[in-house]
Amino acid sequence: MVSLWKKFAVALFAMALAFTAAAQQHGDKEYQPSVGQEGRDVIWVPTPNELIAKMLDMTKVTANDIVYDLGSGDGRTVIAAAKRGAQAVGVEFNPDMVALSNRSAKREGVTDKARFIQGDIFQTDFSKATVITLYLLPSLNLKLRPTILDMRPGTRVASHAFNMGEWEPDETAQVDGRTAYYWMVPAKVAGTWRVEGVGDLALKQEFQKIQGTLGGKPIINATLRGETIAFAADGRNYSGRVNGDRIEGSVSGAASGKWTAARTR
Ligand SMILES: C[S@@+](CC[C@H](N)C(=O)[O-])C[C@H]1O[C@@H](n2cnc3c(N)ncnc32)[C@H](O)[C@@H]1O
């Protein structure tokens, strides 16, 4: 009889422990957020750490980066990026989540790298970011899209669960049934360029997809990755770096050497 009661008591204790652990799964002694709690434009649901690692891998975060997590929740993505040596910034509307994030950053020893701004992502300047991470909503991604596309070419973006509409991802990955999307902000190349000694390069662009003509003949295998452009025309392979209204690069194949282009329209 005694042993039955003992077993019951042990089971009760285990349940209480499990319940406490579940309750404390998120947050700290001062504040425990609940998954699904209201947020400014979207509720709080945390990204699992394994997926955060994948998103930081996809965006190749290093100590040279400035990472912004837009809608940073409990700060976990920012702290993970800071642990990779990046300067990492979270923008979060909920002040309790910001305070919690700051305490977590302190506990994790990354206060020199991780910082949190209490504010609205649509009112905050994140133009210095080299990497952006998101877990928002499709409509919010679309609202952010024009701002992101105006960022420095080569800026990398990762989004948990939600895409960017017609701006197709450069890469997708699955972790435990969840999807992460990856994009690199393309340079703006649409228009006409004068390629020195060759002729006009006319380019049409839809996000990272480009097509066009060089000297009136279609270019083939055209790619645009950030500021790096490549295509083939007339038996030559062109690759180059777009810098505003200039392109400089090298050409190989039927003829080899350097090439430059200047935007005329
Ligand atoms: C789905 S959670 C993602 C949290 C975190 N990025 C992650 O992946 O674990 C979205 C977060 O965005 C915050 N949020 C919603 N609208 C916001 C806004 N306009 N400005 C700043 N934060 C916002 C919410 O409070 C919530 O913490």
Side-chain angles (χ1 to χ4, degrees), residues 54-61 67-68 70 126 129-136 141 144-145 147-152 154-160 162-164 167-172 180-186:
K54 186 71 189 177
M55 289 163 75
L56 299 181
D57 287 347
M58 288 170 106
T59 47
K60 298 188 170 69
V61 167
V67 179
Y68 271 67
L70 302 182
F126 52 87
T130 59
V131 172
I132 288 173
T133 54
L134 309 164
Y135 181 25
L136 295 168
N141 280 9
L144 286 168
R145 196 176 78 181
T147 311
I148 293 176
L149 283 166
D150 271 346
M151 293 179 73
R152 197 186 58 74
T155 303
R156 290 101 75 204
V157 184
S159 170
H160 172 184
F162 304 117
N163 65 24
M164 290 272 183
W167 183 14
E168 289 177 11
D170 295 311
E171 201 183 318
T172 60
Y181 297 92
Y182 167 80
W183 300 261
M184 183 179 275
V185 172

Side-chain angles (χ1 to χ4, degrees), residues 39-47 69 71 73 92-93 119-121 135:
R40 172 90 171 79
D41 290 303
V42 59
I43 58 171
W44 176 64
V45 179
T47 297
D69 186 36
E92 169 59 49
F93 198 75
D120 187 333
I121 54 174
Y135 181 25

Side-chain angles (χ1 to χ4, degrees), residues 182-251:
Y182 167 80
W183 300 261
M184 183 179 275
V185 172
K188 292 187 169 75
V189 298
T192 306
W193 303 73
R194 169 58 52 92
V195 181
E196 213 178 290
V198 180
D200 277 353
L201 173 65
L203 292 177
K204 286 186 181 158
Q205 174 173 17
E206 253 186 275
F207 305 103
Q208 70 276 54
K209 293 183 185 167
I210 56 168
Q211 53 175 311
T213 56
L214 178 59
K217 291 187 198 150
I219 57 171
I220 56 169
N221 301 331
T223 59
L224 179 65
R225 297 267 304 153
E227 57 194 8
T228 303
I229 189 169
F231 57 89
D234 212 13
R236 300 170 187 185
N237 298 314
Y238 292 81
S239 67
R241 186 163 278 240
V242 183
N243 184 2
D245 289 335
R246 283 192 67 77
I247 305 176
E248 286 180 14
S250 53
V251 56

Side-chain angles (χ1 to χ4, degrees), residues 37-49 51-52 55 69-78 90-95 97 117-124 133-137 140 143 160 162:
Q37 73 185 21
E38 282 304 309
R40 172 90 171 79
D41 290 303
V42 59
I43 58 171
W44 176 64
V45 179
T47 297
N49 292 329
L51 188 60
I52 289 174
M55 289 163 75
D69 186 36
L70 302 182
S72 50
D74 64 1
R76 56 181 62 200
T77 306
V78 172
V91 183
E92 169 59 49
F93 198 75
N94 181 332
M97 294 300 259
I117 298 169
Q118 191 277 313
D120 187 333
I121 54 174
F122 294 106
Q123 308 293 331
T124 305
T133 54
L134 309 164
Y135 181 25
L136 295 168
L137 281 177
L140 301 182
K143 199 169 162 192
H160 172 184
F162 304 117

